[in-house]
C-alpha cells in the first residue's frame, strides 16, 4: 500500500481482498456473552478503505436508507482521520456504532457497491463500526454545535433507535427535548432485544450519554399512556410529540399448550437475558430458564438472537424451528451463519401444532408437522402447507416464540383520534411522519411493524425535519 | 338435510352466505375498537359479494368449478378455538373468520359425500371450493402478519 | 431514584414501605400496581397499591418477605432510595354502586383491598370487608379497614382472633343472609381466590379477583404475565390485574408462579449466606417455603 493513496489507481485497489472480520472462535464464543465480531484492526481498516474506488455515481449513497455520505467517510478513513469520519457519518446517522454492527449492509449499501459486480463489496459496515468505536474509545467524541434555544419543547415517547434519532436531530436545532422511556434503561430494542454478543450495552449507553450531554433529558421508568397521556403532554407545554414505542407486542402461535412453563415470547426471553442480565444470575436477580433442549420458533434476527442466547446459557441442543425454507428466512445471512457455526440445528419447513407438558405444568415436548411449499398464490408467494401424516414429536424443555411482533397498543388506546391500521400500526404521512393528530408524529416499528434499526433511524430523521418545520412555522406565523 | 335439486342447493348456499354476512355484521356491532368494527364489516361485505356470485350462478351467468385446486394452508386446524369477544384483536378476528370458513367448507364436503347424484355432488364440491378460497384469503393474511418472521 | 420515606415492619413477616412519587400518586387509582426495582442488579417486581396519599405524593406498598427481593426490600432504610418505581400500571378496579359489596382480603391481599374498599364506599356501596390470615400475628390494617367498612369481619386459621376458620365461611354466611350482595372483590393467595370464586359461582354473584402472576416489564411487551381467562389468554399487566373470578384458570396461574422455584431458593440461600448481610438472622425466620 502506498502512502499517497490518491495515486493508487482503481485497478490496484480492486486487487486488495475484502478484509475478514476477526471473530471469536465458534466453540469458544458459544458459551460466553462477549461480542462475537472483534472489529477490524487499524491496518485492516486502512486496507479496506483503500478498496473504495470512489466511483462518480456512488450507488452506495442511495443504497443507504438514510443516505450516509459513504465515499465521504471512507475518504477520511484513508486519510487516517477516523474521528472526522465518524462525524461525517453522524451528519446523517446518529448511531454509527450501532448500525455498523446491526445494519443488513448486504441488502443495502454493500449490495449496490460497484465492486460487488465482479468482486466483494467494500465492507462499509466494518468501516462504520471501526470509526465509531475509534472515536468513542479514544475519547474523541465531539458534541455538535447546538443552535440557540427556540423555546420549543418536544416530547419523545420511546428511546429506541427512532426516538434517539429524533432527539439527536432536534436538540441540535435548539429545541428542549425530553425522552420518556417505559423501561429503566434507555435504548429500547437496542438494550432489551439485541444481545450483548451482538451489541454491547455500554455502547448503547454511551450513545444516550452523548445525547444527555447535548441537553436531552431522559425520564426512564415513565410509561406515557399510564402516567401521562399524549394529550396531557400537550397540556404540560410540549409543542410536538414523537411516538417511537416500537413493535412491543409479542405474537403467539395460538396453538394448545402455549401457556406451559418454559414457553417464552422472544421479548420476554431476551429482556430477561439482555436488559435484566439474567445470563449472569445470580449476580443479577432476574432468573431465566436454562433449557437443555431448546426450540426457537421463527427465522428472523430475533430468533437467531434467542437461539444463540440459549446455547450460551448451556443448551445441549438448540433448534431453530422455522415454517418456511432457508431461502425465505428474514434473518441476516451473517447471523444465520454465526448460529450454524456455533452449533444451532436448523429444522426448516417445520412447525409445532401443540405443546405438551408434565404434571408440574412444564413443557416437555412439542408435536410438529413438516411443511412443503404450496402453489404460488395471488401475491406470487409460495406458502407452507402441512404434509398430512408427517407429525412427529420434538423433546424440548424450553421454547421461545420468535415469530414476529405487533405494535404495542397502549398509546393508540390512550390517544383519541390517533388512527391505526387493523394491525395496530399508527398511520402516518409518508413524507412528514405526522399522524392523524396534529403535532403528533410517529416512526419506527410502531408504524411499519417489526423492521430494522436503520429504517427506524431513517423515519426518525424525516419526522425530526417535519417536527422542526411544524414548530417553527407556528412561531413564524405568530410573527 | 336432503337436497334434491340444483336450485335447492343454491338457495341453501345463498342463504348461508347471508347468514355469514349477518354473523360478521353482528360481530362488528359488538366490537369495542373502530378497527375491528371496520374489519368485520369488510368481511360481511365480502360474504355479500360471494352471495352475489352465487346469484349469478343461479342466473346461469357464472359456472362453479369443482376442478380448481385451492391451496389449503390448514392454519385453522391447529389453532385453539376462539370465542368472539368485544375486545378481540385482529389476529383473533382472523381466527374466527378462518374457523367460520372452515366450517362452511366442511359442510359442503360432507354434503358432497352424502349425495349419490354426480351433478349435485359436483355442485357441492364447487361450493366447497368457493369456501376454500374464502378461507385461504384469511389464512394468507394470518400467514403474513402473525408469522411475519416464521 | 425514588425516595423511600419510611420502611417499617408491621408484623412478623409484613413490611410497609412509603415511596415519594408524587406524579405517579396523582394519576394512580385503586386496583392498579407499580413495578419496583431495589437496586441496579435487582429484579423488577410488581407491587399492588396499598395506599395513595395524594396530598403528600406518597405511595404505600405492603409486602411479605418470601424471597430474596422482598428480603432485600427490608434493608432499604428510612429516607433511603430504590432504583425505580414505575406506574401506575394495570387497569384500575371497576367501581360502581351495587348496593352492597363484599371485599375479601386474604393474607397480603388485605393491603390492596383497602384502597378499593375506600373507592367502593365513596361510590355509595354498603361495604362488608372480610380479612383473614393464618394467625393474629400476621393480621394487619384492622384499624384502617374498620374505619372504612360498614361491617368488618375478621378470621384466622388458628382462631387467635376473630372467627376460627376461613374467609369463605364468613362469605357464605353473608351470601346466605338477608342482604343482596351485588359485587364481590377478592384479593389474596391464589388458592383463596379460587375457593372464593368457586363458592360465589353457585350464588351467581359477580366476583372480581386481582391476579399476581410473575411480571417483567408490566406494559404488555413480553407476555410473561399471561393468564387464561375463559378460553382466552390475557396479559395481567395490561388487561388486568382484575379479572372475572369465575373464568380464571387458577391452577394454571399457580403452576406458572412456580416457574423459577429452584432459582428463587438458590438466590435466597446465597443471600442468607452472605457474611455482611445484617438481615440474614432476621430473615432466616422466614425461610423460603420449599
Amino acid at each position: 500500500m502506498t502512502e499517497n493513496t490518491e495515486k493508487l489507481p482503481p485497478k490496484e485497489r480492486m486487487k486488495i481482498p475484502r478484509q475478514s472480520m476477526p471473530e471469536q472462535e465458534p466453540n469458544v464464543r458459544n458459551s460466553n456473552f462477549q461480542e462475537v465480531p472483534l472489529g477490524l484492526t487499524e491496518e485492516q481498516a486502512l486496507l479496506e478503505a483503500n478498496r473504495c474506488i470512489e466511483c462518480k455515481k456512488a450507488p452506495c449513497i442511495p443504497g443507504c436508507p438514510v443516505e450516509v455520505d459513504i465515499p465521504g467517510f471512507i475518504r477520511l478513513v484513508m486519510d487516517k482521520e477516523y474521528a472526522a469520519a465518524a462525524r461525517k457519518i453522524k451528519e446523517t446517522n446518529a448511531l454509527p456504532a450501532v448500525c455498523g454492527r446491526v445494519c443488513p449492509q448486504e441488502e443495502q449499501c454493500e449490495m449496490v457497491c460497484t465492486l460487488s459486480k465482479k468482486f466483494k463489496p467494500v465492507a462499509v459496515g466494518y468501516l462504520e463500526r471501526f470509526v465509531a468505536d475509534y472515536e468513542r474509545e479514544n475519547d474523541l467524541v465531539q458534541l455538535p454545535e447546538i443552535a440557540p434555544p427556540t423555546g420549543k419543547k418536544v416530547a419523545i415517547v420511546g428511546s429506541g433507535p427512532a426516538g434517539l434519532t429524533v432527539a439527536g436531530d432536534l436538540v441540535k436545532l435548539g429545541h428542549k427535548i425530553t425522552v420518556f422511556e417505559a423501561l429503566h434503561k434507555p435504548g429500547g430494542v437496542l438494550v432489551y432485544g439485541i444481545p450483548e454478543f451482538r451489541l454491547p450495552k455500554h455502547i448503547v449507553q454511551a450513545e444516550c450519554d452523548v445525547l444527555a450531554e447535548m441537553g436531552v433529558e431522559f425520564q426512564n421508568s415513565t410509561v406515557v399512556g399510564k402516567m401521562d397521556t399524549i394529550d396531557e403532554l400537550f397540556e404540560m407545554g410540549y409543542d410536538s410529540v414523537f411516538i417511537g414505542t416500537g413493535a412491543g407486542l409479542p405474537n403467539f402461535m395460538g396453538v394448545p399448550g402455549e401457556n406451559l412453563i418454559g414457553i417464552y415470547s422472544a421479548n420476554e426471553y431476551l429482556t430477561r437475558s439482555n436488559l435484566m442480565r439474567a445470563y449472569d444470575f445470580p449476580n443479577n436477580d432476574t432468573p431465566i430458564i436454562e433449557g437443555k433442549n431448546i426450540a426457537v420458533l421463527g427465522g428472523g434476527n430475533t430468533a437467531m438472537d434467542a437461539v444463540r442466547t440459549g446455547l450460551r446459557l448451556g443448551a445441549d441442543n438448540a433448534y431453530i424451528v422455522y415454517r418456511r425454507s432457508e431461502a425465505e428466512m428474514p434473518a441476516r445471512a451473517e447471523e444465520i451463519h454465526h448460529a450454524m457455526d456455533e452449533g444451532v440445528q436448523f429444522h426448516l419447513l417445520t412447525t409445532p401444532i401443540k405443546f405438551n407438558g408434565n404434571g408440574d405444568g412444564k413443557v416437555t415436548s412439542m408435536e410438529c408437522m413438516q411443511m412443503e411449499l404450496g402453489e404460488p398464490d395471488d401475491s406470487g408467494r409460495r406458502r407452507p402447507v402441512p404434509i398430512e401424516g408427517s407429525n412427529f414429536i420434538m423433546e424440548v424443555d424450553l421454547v421461545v416464540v420468535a415469530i414476529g411482533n405487533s405494535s404495542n397498543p397502549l398509546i393508540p388506546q390512550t390517544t383519541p383520534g390517533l388512527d391505526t391500521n387493523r394491525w395496530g400500526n399508527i398511520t402516518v404521512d409518508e413524507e412528514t411522519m405526522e399522524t392523524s393528530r396534529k403535532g403528533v408524529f410517529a416512526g419506527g416499528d410502531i408504524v411499519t411493524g417489526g423492521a430494522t434499526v436503520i429504517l427506524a433511524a431513517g423515519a426518525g430523521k424525516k419526522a425530526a425535519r417535519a417536527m422542526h418545520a411544524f414548530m417553527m412555522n407556528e412561531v413564524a406565523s405568530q410573527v | 338435510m336432503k337436497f334434491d335439486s340444483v336450485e335447492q342447493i343454491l338457495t341453501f348456499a345463498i342463504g348461508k352466505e347471508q347468514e355469514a354476512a349477518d354473523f360478521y355484521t353482528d360481530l362488528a356491532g359488538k366490537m369495542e375498537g373502530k378497527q375491528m368494527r371496520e374489519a368485520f364489516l369488510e368481511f360481511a361485505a365480502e360474504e355479500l359479494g360471494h352471495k352475489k356470485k352465487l346469484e349469478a350462478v343461479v342466473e346461469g351467468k357464472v359456472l362453479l368449478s369443482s376442478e380448481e385446486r385451492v391451496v389449503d394452508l390448514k392454519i385453522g386446524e391447529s389453532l385453539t378455538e376462539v370465542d368472539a369477544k368485544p375486545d378481540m384483536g385482529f389476529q383473533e378476528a382472523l381466527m374466527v373468520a378462518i374457523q367460520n370458513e372452515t366450517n362452511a367448507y366442511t359442510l359442503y364436503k360432507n354434503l358432497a359425500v352424502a349425495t349419490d347424484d354426480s351433478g349435485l355432488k359436483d355442485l357441492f364440491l364447487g361450493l366447497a371450493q368457493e369456501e376454500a378460497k374464502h378461507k385461504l384469503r384469511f389464512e394468507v393474511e394470518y400467514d403474513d402478519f402473525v408469522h411475519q418472521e416464521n | 431514584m425514588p425516595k423511600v420515606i419510611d420502611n417499617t415492619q408491621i408484623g412478623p413477616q409484613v413490611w410497609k414501605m412509603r415511596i415519594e412519587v408524587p406524579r405517579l400518586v396523582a394519576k394512580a387509582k385503586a386496583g392498579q400496581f407499580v413495578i419496583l426495582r431495589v437496586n441496579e442488579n435487582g429484579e423488577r417486581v410488581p407491587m399492588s397499591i396499598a395506599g395513595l396519599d395524594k396530598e403528600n405524593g406518597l405511595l404505600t406498598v405492603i409486602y411479605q418477605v418470601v424471597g430474596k427481593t422482598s428480603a432485600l426490600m427490608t434493608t432499604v432504610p428510612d429516607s433511603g432510595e430504590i432504583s425505580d418505581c414505575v406506574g401506575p400500571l394495570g387497569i384500575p378496579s371497576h367501581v360502581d354502586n351495587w348496593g352492597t359489596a363484599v371485599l375479601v382480603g386474604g393474607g397480603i391481599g388485605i393491603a390492596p383491598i383497602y384502597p378499593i374498599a375506600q373507592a367502593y364506599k365513596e361510590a355509595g356501596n354498603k361495604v362488608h370487608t372480610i380479612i383473614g390470615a393464618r394467625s393474629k400475628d400476621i393480621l394487619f390494617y384492622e384499624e384502617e379497614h374498620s374505619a372504612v367498612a360498614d361491617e368488618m369481619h375478621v378470621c384466622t386459621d388458628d382462631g387467635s382472633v376473630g372467627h376460627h376458620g376461613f374467609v369463605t365461611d364468613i362469605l357464605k354466611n353473608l351470601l346466605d343472609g338477608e342482604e343482596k350482595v351485588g359485587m364481590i372483590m377478592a384479593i389474596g393467595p391464589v388458592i383463596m381466590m379460587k375457593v372464593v370464586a368457586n363458592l360465589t359461582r353457585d350464588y351467581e354473584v359477580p366476583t372480581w379477583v386481582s391476579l399476581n402472576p410473575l411480571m417483567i416489564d408490566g406494559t404488555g411487551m413480553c407476555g410473561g404475565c399471561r393468564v387464561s381467562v375463559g378460553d382466552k389468554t390475557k396479559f395481567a399487566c395490561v388487561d388486568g390485574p382484575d379479572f372475572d373470578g369465575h373464568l380464571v384458570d387458577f391452577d394454571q396461574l399457580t403452576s406458572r408462579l412456580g416457574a423459577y422455584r429452584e432459582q428463587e431458593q438458590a438466590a435466597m440461600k446465597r443471600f442468607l449466606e452472605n457474611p455482611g448481610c445484617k438481615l440474614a438472622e432476621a430473615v432466616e425466620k422466614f425461610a423460603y417455603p420449599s
Side-chain angles (χ1 to χ4, degrees), chain C residues 186-197:
Chain C
I187 310 184
V190 180
I191 182 72
M192 180 214 105
M193 293 189 288
K194 178 180 173 183
V195 168
V196 166

Side-chain angles (χ1 to χ4, degrees), chain A residues 58-71:
Chain A
C60 50
I61 300 182
C64 168
V66 298
E67 300 196 348
V68 167
D69 179 2
I70 296 169

Side-chain angles (χ1 to χ4, degrees), chain A residues 111-176:
Chain A
M111 184 172 79
V112 295
C113 171
T114 305
L115 280 187
S116 66
K117 290 187 195 136
K118 281 202 188 145
F119 307 93
K120 294 213 179 121
V122 173
V124 177
Y126 295 169
L127 289 172
E128 181 176 29
R129 175 197 163 145
F130 175 80
V131 302
D133 286 354
Y134 187 93
E135 188 198 29
R136 187 187 64 255
E137 286 162 6
N138 291 291
D139 245 339
L140 295 169
V141 177
Q142 269 177 31
L143 300 185
E145 236 184 85
I146 312 272
T150 59
K152 299 293 181 185
K153 285 173 65 173
V154 179
I156 296 175
V157 186
S159 65
L164 292 178
T165 299
V166 175
D169 281 3
L170 289 181
V171 76
K172 279 194 287 210
L173 297 172
H175 303 296
K176 178 99 186 59

Side-chain angles (χ1 to χ4, degrees), chain A residues 38-211:
Chain A
L38 301 170
L40 295 181
T41 60
E42 186 177 351
E43 203 189 316
Q44 283 180 301
L46 286 168
L47 278 170
E48 189 61 41
N50 273 281
R51 295 183 67 232
C52 175
I53 57 174
E54 300 181 271
C55 38
K56 275 206 192 102
K57 257 196 139 175
C60 50
I61 300 182
C64 168
V66 298
E67 300 196 348
V68 167
D69 179 2
I70 296 169
F73 97 77
I74 293 183
R75 152 64 44 198
L76 289 162
V77 179
M78 281 191 226
D79 294 340
K80 294 194 182 177
E81 303 265 16
Y82 308 125
R87 283 195 296 278
K88 174 111 314 249
I89 298 173
K90 286 181 178 177
E91 282 168 17
T92 31
N93 174 11
L95 307 166
V98 174
C99 292
R101 287 168 162 80
V102 308
C103 257
Q105 294 96 2
E106 66 278 8
E107 290 167 25
Q108 295 169 175
C109 49
E110 292 181 19
M111 184 172 79
V112 295
C113 171
T114 305
L115 280 187
S116 66
K117 290 187 195 136
K118 281 202 188 145
F119 307 93
K120 294 213 179 121
V122 173
V124 177
Y126 295 169
L127 289 172
E128 181 176 29
R129 175 197 163 145
F130 175 80
V131 302
D133 286 354
Y134 187 93
E135 188 198 29
R136 187 187 64 255
E137 286 162 6
N138 291 291
D139 245 339
L140 295 169
V141 177
Q142 269 177 31
L143 300 185
E145 236 184 85
I146 312 272
T150 59
K152 299 293 181 185
K153 285 173 65 173
V154 179
I156 296 175
V157 186
S159 65
L164 292 178
T165 299
V166 175
D169 281 3
L170 289 181
V171 76
K172 279 194 287 210
L173 297 172
H175 303 296
K176 178 99 186 59
I177 313 290
T178 308
V179 176
F180 296 96
E181 168 53 51
L183 293 174
H184 55 270
K185 278 191 156 61
V189 74
L190 304 177
V191 80
Y192 77 74
I194 305 180
E196 186 73 16
F197 55 80
R198 213 156 61 88
L199 178 60
K201 302 306 145 217
H202 69 89
I203 292 178
V204 180
Q205 190 58 53
E207 300 292 357
C208 296
D209 290 344
V210 168
L211 288 172

Side-chain angles (χ1 to χ4, degrees), chain A residues 185 221 228 263-265 267, chain C residues 23 27 40 84 222 260:
Chain A
K185 278 191 156 61
S221 291
D228 302 298
I263 302 184
Y264 284 113
S265 72
N267 278 354
Chain C
R23 274 179 61 204
K27 286 293 160 66
E40 184 51 33
D84 298 277
C222 82
Y260 301 99

Side-chain angles (χ1 to χ4, degrees), chain A residues 148-460:
Chain A
T150 59
K152 299 293 181 185
K153 285 173 65 173
V154 179
I156 296 175
V157 186
S159 65
L164 292 178
T165 299
V166 175
D169 281 3
L170 289 181
V171 76
K172 279 194 287 210
L173 297 172
H175 303 296
K176 178 99 186 59
I177 313 290
T178 308
V179 176
F180 296 96
E181 168 53 51
L183 293 174
H184 55 270
K185 278 191 156 61
V189 74
L190 304 177
V191 80
Y192 77 74
I194 305 180
E196 186 73 16
F197 55 80
R198 213 156 61 88
L199 178 60
K201 302 306 145 217
H202 69 89
I203 292 178
V204 180
Q205 190 58 53
E207 300 292 357
C208 296
D209 290 344
V210 168
L211 288 172
E213 266 182 84
M214 283 162 69
V216 172
E217 182 199 357
F218 283 91
Q219 282 195 27
N220 298 330
S221 291
T222 306
V223 185
V224 172
K226 297 307 281 188
M227 177 78 99
D228 302 298
T229 61
I230 301 260
D231 286 309
E232 284 165 341
L233 290 178
F234 281 112
E235 285 167 31
M236 284 159 70
Y238 289 97
D239 299 290
S240 66
V241 176
F242 177 79
I243 303 172
T245 48
L249 187 69
N251 289 357
F252 282 99
M253 296 282 291
V255 304
E258 220 163 5
N259 290 345
L260 287 166
I261 296 173
I263 302 184
Y264 284 113
S265 72
N267 278 354
E268 184 185 357
Y269 189 65
L270 292 171
T271 298
R272 281 180 183 268
S273 182
N274 303 331
L275 174 68
M276 307 307 296
R277 295 193 299 271
Y279 64 80
D280 192 17
F281 177 88
N283 290 326
N284 288 279
D285 292 342
T286 302
I288 195 168
I289 294 174
E290 294 174 7
K292 290 297 169 201
N293 297 300
I294 75 173
V296 174
L297 314 178
N301 289 320
T302 306
M304 295 309 129
D305 285 342
V307 79
R308 294 168 72 197
T309 294
L311 211 53
R312 284 156 172 76
L313 291 176
D316 295 327
N317 293 297
Y319 310 114
I320 282 282
V321 176
Y322 179 60
R323 249 167 104 246
R324 302 178 215 262
S325 64
E326 184 169 354
E328 301 169 85
M329 289 182 84
R332 288 190 69 190
E334 182 175 308
E335 303 307 344
I336 297 175
H337 290 137
H338 281 150
M340 284 178 174
D341 290 342
E342 288 166 14
V344 171
Q345 299 162 59
F346 285 70
H347 290 264
L348 303 173
L349 288 166
T350 307
T351 201
I353 58 170
K354 185 170 183 277
F355 300 104
N356 302 309
N358 62 17
D360 293 329
K362 295 183 177 170
V363 68
T364 52
S365 68
M366 49 190 213
E367 185 179 341
C368 299
M369 288 188 83
Q370 303 278 41
M371 316 291 271
E372 60 188 347
L373 294 180
E375 299 290 309
D377 63 18
D378 290 341
S379 65
R381 200 174 178 196
R382 297 182 68 193
R383 293 176 192 272
V385 179
I387 299 175
E388 281 296 319
S390 66
N391 306 45
F392 69 98
I393 300 285
M394 197 184 271
E395 309 274 329
V396 289
D397 56 359
L398 181 77
V399 177
V400 181
V401 184
I403 63 177
N405 278 326
S406 303
S407 302
N408 192 293
L410 179 61
I411 298 292
Q413 279 170 355
T414 54
T415 314
L418 188 70
D419 288 346
T420 65
N421 67 16
R422 60 189 47 164
W423 290 104
N425 299 322
I426 297 177
T427 46
V428 297
D429 177 294
E430 262 186 50
E431 278 319 305
T432 63
M433 312 305 288
E434 192 171 21
T435 67
S436 55
R437 285 282 309 264
K438 189 157 173 284
V440 179
F441 298 76
D445 287 0
I446 190 74
V447 169
T448 58
T452 59
V453 167
I454 192 68
L455 285 174

